[in-house]
């Protein structure tokens, strides 16, 4: 049965129809653009065939527009590892072979074999064997698989010398053998129903099936005469999927240059005399798709197979259609090294040690989980242990990494199911209240606070901002950029190593910080103290031009905990602080709040660098100290511990983000003068990235309507846009964005600009009504117990469905 899935053409408008039979390169290219120039006319400047998009500027791959639109949405992924157990057993990289059945694990390294029973001795093998002592001199094990019908009690081992050996898992004794049955290294062994299949590097395939005369329902390694089948030699990828042997050779490609695509050969080895079917990965695709590394089937999507590729691609194949490749999805900038269908999710392992679980039921795919499984080192293999369903009443997923460790994961992601159900019941164990937040952002262009004179807009700016919220804000965050002249080499050199120095006690600014920071600090304190409400400084921090100063109403000070602030440098590859961010956080009640004040890469066309700056700050590891206390874990989201920015329930981001408007200067100014700001929204780089770039890390953030004129770039002390020689295009460089786990918990009260003109930027502010929660731990514990009982009922149903799937796939 084929499930209904959206057509790839729904998402990629310029891709040829999937059924196109034209060979690669057969379609003609359109003629080059031409223009007519009258005799004597001055030659016009060279023109592009189209206006460069933000996707191009951000360094997308060739044809990256399509692929970036299809990148999975990772904005809400949980990074909590679904750990079942973490045994300390050494699994040597490259050389080790592993099989798992319930709590029994067999690890073979060259001629050594170790069998573990995780239920008894997690780290100590119950028996240790050596092929030399088994009568197979100098045999090195290169493949392992449980024999069909043995329920994990008997294992077949293939060796470098072409031998096949049968071992009893309980005793470690040899129960059968066939010496030199293969001409070379045995690379793979598979089981399917009551048959076994072995493959060697020369392309020789042996199919062991029970005969009617043997009186046994399973093949005997010693006495069963295998049927020989031939495939191409030196296969890089071999996998038995749905009863068919899928293979691919790295050097076997269709086309040449950047549009090469791998060739897949599929063999029906269980049908004598059958011939291979050959297919390529979407022969009309215009993107380079790397070699095939892995493949799997998915329980929730019968009728389809999924292949992982180098280059971060996953190809989708319709089984009833041939099989035939029907689509390709770009999931990562790194190679997909391992792939496994687990229940309703597609699990993929990459070079960075991260395992991602994808929900493939909608477009774009959604990353539901992404966790560091193998200490930043490649995940070389992921596989399901179907026997764990009956032996342990779990669906165990095993991963092996280049860190030489084996990890066991909960394939049904029970901890996330429980967590999500508890979130739905949050009102049963929490109380809520609303507080007001004010965020003020301004690139001051090295202006001193004393410069706020001569004009009413300058004189009243700070007071106007502070009184823009009613009732008065409970939390005030000032985020300034370029407090020092970043174009002054002497000043930059003096301060580039001072950014991020620790402050004194109680938020007092350090004496080592330059006078520019202290002047603004003192001015802000004075302005805030003039308010009727009492406030306390909770954060001050600087980073080479960046300056954050945060206040909390005295009545809320006692509710704060886990207060922390730090800096992230992004200038010159992360070595210097001329670009970067100041990140502050605290927990109020049981809600975690994070504030980012940042200055991103400048330049009209440097969208890629700005995106990279954003990614680096949001994905920076260990920004803050982690916490595993129960109370504090209730404050964080996505399985996080508070050490990363996106672990926080609510995040505010402000600063000179430097995203520009992709349009001619005169057209932009004309739209501003006519009040047609909406016409500029479609050309704003940030809005385009948030709308179209699935991999953009700010895509999960929100921003209020841009109803005010662009804030950059003005001549100082005037209302004229840049009249210098560069005549920069006006832009909304200065922005305030936010992200909340529950969108209803942050309501924007205003988003506006001010007319202080002592800088080449105009300041902006945004005010919010923010709902925070306080958890009653006794009520939470009661609801958790109820949810855990519900999970046990769901677990029984999901395990039954999983068992049915693996029976259909003839694996158990």
């Amino acid at each position: 049965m084929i499930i209904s899935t959206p057509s790839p053409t729904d998402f990629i408008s310029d891709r040829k129809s999937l059924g196109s039979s034209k060979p690669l390169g057969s379609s003609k290219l359109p003629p080059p653009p031409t223009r007519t120039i009258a005799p004597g006319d001055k030659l016009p400047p060279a023109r592009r065939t189209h206006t460069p998009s933000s996707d191009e500027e951000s360094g997308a791959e060739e044809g990256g527009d399509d692929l970036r639109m299809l990148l999975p949405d990772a904005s809400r992924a949980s990074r909590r590892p679904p750990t079942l157990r973490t045994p300390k057993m050494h699994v040597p990289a490259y050389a080790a072979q592993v099989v798992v059945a319930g709590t029994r694990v067999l690890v073979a390294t060259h001629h050594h074999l170790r069998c573990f029973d995780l239920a008894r001795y997690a780290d100590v093998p119950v028996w240790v064997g050596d092929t030399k002592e088994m009568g197979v001199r100098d045999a090195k094990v290169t493949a392992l698989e449980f024999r069909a019908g043995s329920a994990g009690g008997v294992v077949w081992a293939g060796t470098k010398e072409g031998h096949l050996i049968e071992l009893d898992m309980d005793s470690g004794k040899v129960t059968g053998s066939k010496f030199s049955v293969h001409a070379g290294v045995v690379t793979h062994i598979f089981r399917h129903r009551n048959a076994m299949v072995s493959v060697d590097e020369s392309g020789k395939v042996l199919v062991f099936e029970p005969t009617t005369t043997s009186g046994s329902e399973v093949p005997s390694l010693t006495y069963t005469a295998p049927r020989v089948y031939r495939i191409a030699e030196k296969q890089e990828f071999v996998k038995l999927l749905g009863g068919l042997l899928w293979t691919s050779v790295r050097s076997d490609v269709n086309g040449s240059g950047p549009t090469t695509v791998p060739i897949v050969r599929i063999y029906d080895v269980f049908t004598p005399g059958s011939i291979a079917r050959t297919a390529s990965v979407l022969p009309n695709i215009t993107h380079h798709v790397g070699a095939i590394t892995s493949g799997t089937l998915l329980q929730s999507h019968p009728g389809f197979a999924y292949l992982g590729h180098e280059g971060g691609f996953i190809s989708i194949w319709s089984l009833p259609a041939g099989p035939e490749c029907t689509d390709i999805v770009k999931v990562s900038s790194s190679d997909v090294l391992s792939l496994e269908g687990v229940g309703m999710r597609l699990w993929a392992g990459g070079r960075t040690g991260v395992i991602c679980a994808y929900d493939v039921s909608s477009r774009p795919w959604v990353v539901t989980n992404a966790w560091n499984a193998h200490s930043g080192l490649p995940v070389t293999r992921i596989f399901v242990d179907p026997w764990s369903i009956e032996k342990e009443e779990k669906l165990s997923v095993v991963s092996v990494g280049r860190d030489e460790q084996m990890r066991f994961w909960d394939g049904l992601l029970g901890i996330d199911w429980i967590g999500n159900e508890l979130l739905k019941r949050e009102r049963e164990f929490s109380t809520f209240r609303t507080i007001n937040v004010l965020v003020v952002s301004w690139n001051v262009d090295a202006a001193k606070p004393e410069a706020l004179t001569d004009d009413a807009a300058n004189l009243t700016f700070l007071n106007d901002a502070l009184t823009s919220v009613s009732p008065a804000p409970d939390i005030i965050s000032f985020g300034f950029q370029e407090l020092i002249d970043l174009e002054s080499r002497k000043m930059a050199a003096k301060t580039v190593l001072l950014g991020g120095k620790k402050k004194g006690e109680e938020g007092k600014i350090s004496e080592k910080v330059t006078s520019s920071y202290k002047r603004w600090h003192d001015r802000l304190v004075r302005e805030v103290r003039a308010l009727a409400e009492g406030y306390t400084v909770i954060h001050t921090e600087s980073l080479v031009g960046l300056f954050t100063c945060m206040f909390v109403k005295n009545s809320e000070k006692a509710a704060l905990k886990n207060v922390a602030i730090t800096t992230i440098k992004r200038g010159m590859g992360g070595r210097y602080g001329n670009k970067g961010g100041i990140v502050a956080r605290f927990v109020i009640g049981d809600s975690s709040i994070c504030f980012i004040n940042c200055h991103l890469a400048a330049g009209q066309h440097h969208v890629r660098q700005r995106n990279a700056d954003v990614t680096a700050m949001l994905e920076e590891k260990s920004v803050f100290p982690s916490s595993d206390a129960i109370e504090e874990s209730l404050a964080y989201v996505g399985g996080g511990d508070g050490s990363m920015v996106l672990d926080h329930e609510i995040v505010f981001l402000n600063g000179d983000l430097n995203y520009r408007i992709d349009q001619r200067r005169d057209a932009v100014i004309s739209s501003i003068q006519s009040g047609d700001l909406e016409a500029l929204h479609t050309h704003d780089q940030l809005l385009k990235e948030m709308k179209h770039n699935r991999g953009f890390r700010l895509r999960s953030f929100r921003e209020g309507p841009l109803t005010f004129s662009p804030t950059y770039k003005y001549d100082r002390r005037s209302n004229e846009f840049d009249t210098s020689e560069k005549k920069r295009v006006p832009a909304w460089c200065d922005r305030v964005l936010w992200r909340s786990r529950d969108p209803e918990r942050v309501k924007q009260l205003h988003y506006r600009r001010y007319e202080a003109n002592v800088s080449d930027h105009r300041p902006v502010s945004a005010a919010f009504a923010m709902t925070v929660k306080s958890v009653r731990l006794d009520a939470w514990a009661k609801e958790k117990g109820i949810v855990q009982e519900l999970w046990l009922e769901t677990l029984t149903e999901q395990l039954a469905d999983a068992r049915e799937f693996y029976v259909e796939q003839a694996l158990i």
Side-chain angles (χ1 to χ4, degrees):
M1 173 180 177
I2 303 179
I3 64 168
S4 176
T5 59
S7 167
T9 55
D10 293 341
F11 312 101
I12 306 177
S13 59
D14 59 348
R15 179 179 288 175
K16 296 177 184 178
S17 62
L18 298 177
S20 173
S21 59
K22 292 181 180 181
L24 190 67
S26 64
S27 59
K28 294 183 179 180
L29 294 174
T34 61
R35 71 182 88 179
T36 302
I37 304 172
D41 283 356
K42 183 179 179 180
L43 289 175
R47 72 183 181 190
R48 296 176 181 265
T49 57
H50 65 284
T51 302
S53 70
S54 62
D55 289 335
E56 292 168 329
E57 295 293 351
S58 59
E61 302 86 356
E62 295 181 10
D65 295 350
D66 302 346
L67 298 175
R68 280 152 48 99
M69 282 291 288
L70 289 174
L71 275 173
D73 182 357
S75 60
R76 302 289 178 179
S78 170
R79 66 185 189 95
R80 181 193 295 114
T83 305
L84 279 183
R85 53 168 64 98
T86 55
K88 297 295 184 182
M89 59 179 68
H90 183 227
V91 183
Y94 305 105
Q97 304 296 321
V98 176
V99 287
V100 179
T103 61
R104 303 296 293 274
V105 179
L106 181 63
V107 180
T109 309
H110 298 306
H111 52 85
H112 299 289
L113 296 100
R114 293 170 293 149
C115 182
F116 298 85
D117 187 343
L118 303 181
R120 297 165 56 194
Y121 313 107
D123 305 327
V124 180
V126 294
W127 59 261
V128 176
D130 193 310
T131 57
K132 296 179 181 179
E133 301 171 355
M134 296 176 179
V136 189
R137 182 173 298 179
D138 298 329
K140 296 181 179 179
V141 177
T142 54
L144 290 175
E145 184 56 275
F146 289 111
R147 192 195 70 192
S150 69
V154 179
V155 67
W156 282 22
T159 74
K160 182 179 180 180
E161 298 73 24
H163 311 318
L164 292 177
I165 308 168
E166 185 178 273
L167 300 168
D168 180 77
M169 280 287 285
D170 291 328
S171 63
K173 294 182 178 179
V174 175
T175 57
S177 62
K178 259 189 170 50
F179 295 130
S180 302
V181 68
H182 280 279
V185 178
V186 179
T187 56
H188 300 82
I189 302 177
F190 304 103
R191 71 177 183 278
H192 184 74
R193 292 194 176 90
N194 56 358
M196 297 295 290
V197 178
S198 59
V199 184
D200 67 31
E201 64 179 5
S202 70
K204 183 179 180 180
V205 178
L206 298 181
V207 181
F208 293 81
E209 295 176 298
T211 62
T212 55
T213 59
S214 65
S216 174
E217 295 183 353
V218 295
S220 166
L221 176 58
T222 304
Y223 300 109
T224 299
R227 179 164 43 82
V228 180
Y229 200 101
R230 286 286 178 181
I231 64 174
E233 63 180 9
K234 298 188 182 301
Q235 300 285 345
E236 291 284 339
F237 165 73
V238 181
K239 187 71 179 284
L240 194 65
L241 298 174
L244 299 175
L245 193 67
W246 296 57
T247 70
S248 182
V249 180
R250 180 178 296 272
S251 59
D252 195 359
V253 297
N254 184 9
S256 60
T259 58
T260 58
V261 292
I263 296 296
V264 178
R265 287 185 168 82
I266 304 167
Y267 303 88
D268 184 358
V269 296
F270 297 108
T271 302
S274 62
I275 60 175
R277 283 170 275 179
T278 302
S280 65
V281 178
L282 280 183
N284 55 357
I285 195 170
T286 58
H287 318 290
H288 172 69
V289 179
I292 299 172
T293 60
S294 48
T296 189
L297 302 177
L298 187 56
Q299 175 184 333
S300 60
H301 286 63
F304 290 89
Y306 299 82
L307 302 184
H309 298 258
E310 292 179 352
F313 293 91
I314 294 177
S315 58
I316 305 171
W317 298 71
S318 172
L319 300 180
E324 178 185 37
C325 181
T326 59
D327 199 6
I328 291 178
V329 176
K330 175 79 169 178
V331 298
S332 172
S333 58
S334 176
D335 299 336
V336 176
L337 297 182
S338 48
L339 197 66
E340 183 71 1
V342 187
M344 310 296 285
R345 301 286 183 264
L346 190 63
W347 290 31
R351 292 197 178 278
T352 61
V354 173
I355 294 178
C356 293
Y358 299 98
D359 179 354
V360 303
S361 60
S362 62
R363 291 301 181 91
W365 289 2
V366 176
V367 184
T368 59
N369 302 76
W371 68 95
N372 189 352
H374 288 279
S375 305
L377 295 174
V379 184
T380 56
R381 189 182 176 198
I382 304 175
F383 62 94
V384 169
D385 169 22
W387 283 296
S388 63
I389 298 173
E390 293 186 1
K391 293 178 180 291
E392 296 191 284
E393 295 185 345
K394 301 173 183 176
L395 183 60
S396 178
V397 182
V398 183
S399 66
V400 181
R402 199 66 56 79
D403 60 348
E404 302 190 330
Q405 294 296 315
M406 186 187 311
R407 299 282 185 259
F408 291 76
W409 313 106
D410 175 14
L412 299 180
L413 304 173
I415 190 171
D416 289 302
W417 191 94
I418 293 172
N420 291 333
E421 285 297 313
L422 280 172
L423 286 178
K424 297 175 184 177
R425 299 162 174 256
E426 202 169 36
R427 294 191 176 276
E428 301 296 326
F429 53 81
S430 302
T431 57
F432 300 89
R433 63 191 181 93
T434 300
I435 62 176
N436 284 350
V437 177
L438 174 66
V439 178
V440 181
S441 183
W442 191 19
N443 183 320
V444 301
D445 193 26
K448 304 295 187 291
E450 296 82 9
L452 291 171
T453 59
D454 300 334
D455 187 281
N458 293 331
L459 292 168
T460 63
F461 155 55
L462 289 173
N463 183 260
D464 289 346
L466 289 170
T467 57
S468 64
V469 188
S470 181
D474 300 279
I475 298 166
I476 304 170
S477 175
F478 286 99
F480 290 169
Q481 307 85 44
E482 290 197 47
L483 253 71
I484 63 170
D485 186 359
L486 295 183
E487 295 185 3
S488 168
R489 295 184 180 180
K490 181 177 180 180
M491 179 65 77
K494 180 180 179 181
T495 59
V496 74
L497 298 178
L498 294 179
K501 293 292 183 181
K502 293 183 178 180
K503 304 299 180 289
E505 296 179 358
E506 299 181 358
K508 294 181 180 179
I509 200 161
S510 169
E511 293 180 357
K512 293 185 178 180
V513 179
T514 63
S515 61
S516 296
Y517 300 113
K518 192 174 192 314
R519 287 177 182 175
W520 276 108
H521 171 268
D522 293 345
R523 177 63 180 269
L524 295 176
V525 169
R526 188 164 65 250
E527 292 283 347
V528 172
R529 283 178 178 171
L531 300 176
E533 303 282 348
Y535 289 86
T536 299
V537 177
I538 56 170
H539 283 314
T540 58
E541 182 61 280
S542 62
L543 175 67
V544 192
L546 283 169
F547 179 63
T548 291
C549 188
M550 296 184 65
F551 300 81
V552 65
K553 195 180 289 185
N554 290 339
S555 58
E556 294 289 349
K557 183 179 178 182
L560 299 188
K561 54 187 176 182
N562 287 355
V563 178
I565 191 166
T566 188
T567 61
I568 300 175
K569 298 177 181 179
R570 286 298 300 158
M572 299 184 69
R575 293 187 293 274
Y576 299 106
N578 59 312
K579 293 292 186 290
I582 297 174
V583 188
R585 79 99 180 273
F586 53 80
V587 173
I588 182 166
D590 289 297
S591 294
S592 54
I593 321 296
C594 183
F595 292 82
I596 305 174
N597 171 28
C598 60
H599 194 184
L600 306 185
Q604 179 74 26
H605 303 301
H606 292 169
V607 178
R608 178 183 182 183
Q609 289 91 325
R610 290 189 273 277
N611 290 357
D613 289 345
V614 168
T615 299
M617 286 187 286
L618 297 186
E619 296 186 353
E620 177 81 8
K621 303 294 191 297
S622 301
V623 176
F624 300 111
S626 61
S627 173
D628 55 3
I630 293 179
E631 298 87 348
E632 292 168 347
S633 67
L634 296 176
Y636 302 116
V637 299
D641 55 9
S643 62
M644 296 178 66
V645 167
L646 296 184
D647 290 347
H648 297 81
E649 186 174 345
I650 298 172
V651 181
F652 296 102
L653 182 145
N654 74 270
D656 180 359
L657 305 191
N658 259 318
Y659 287 97
R660 308 302 174 89
I661 297 175
D662 286 327
Q663 202 174 31
R664 299 190 318 275
R665 185 177 188 273
D666 56 349
V668 172
I669 292 178
S670 176
S671 294
I672 295 171
Q673 292 174 343
S674 65
D676 188 12
L677 298 180
E678 289 189 9
L680 301 178
H681 292 172
T682 56
H683 303 285
D684 179 77
Q685 292 174 349
L686 178 58
L687 295 181
K688 288 197 293 184
E689 290 295 299
M690 293 174 73
K691 181 178 180 180
H692 299 298
N693 184 355
R694 297 292 185 184
F696 186 43
R697 297 301 279 155
L698 289 182
R699 200 165 184 276
S700 62
F701 283 68
R702 302 177 67 186
E703 183 182 24
L706 292 170
T707 57
F708 50 84
S709 295
T711 56
Y712 172 88
K713 173 180 171 80
Y714 287 88
D715 293 339
R716 277 191 170 203
R717 294 194 180 275
S718 82
N719 293 322
E720 296 293 327
F721 287 106
D722 185 20
T723 60
S724 69
E725 182 180 351
K726 292 184 178 180
K727 294 189 183 306
R728 294 174 179 86
V729 179
W732 284 291
C733 288
D734 308 278
R735 315 287 274 264
V736 180
L737 290 76
W738 77 94
R739 160 189 160 120
S740 174
R741 178 187 62 78
D742 183 348
E744 297 300 317
R745 298 205 180 156
V746 177
K747 301 289 187 182
Q748 189 170 65
L749 304 177
H750 79 241
Y751 191 22
R752 55 171 292 190
R753 67 175 247 172
Y754 301 84
E755 300 308 317
N757 61 13
V758 298
S759 166
D760 57 352
H761 291 249
R762 293 292 192 262
V764 299
S765 75
F768 306 91
M770 178 177 68
T771 301
V772 296
K773 68 179 187 291
S774 295
V775 175
R776 304 189 308 275
L777 289 179
D778 55 342
W780 171 80
K782 179 181 178 181
E783 288 297 322
K784 185 176 182 181
I786 295 172
V787 169
Q788 287 175 330
E789 290 295 325
L790 292 175
W791 166 242
L792 292 179
E793 298 175 8
T794 304
L795 174 64
T796 301
E797 296 174 2
Q798 292 192 15
L799 288 178
D801 292 341
R803 187 183 187 284
E804 181 181 352
F805 171 73
Y806 291 113
V807 168
E808 290 175 354
Q809 298 306 314
L811 293 177
I812 56 176

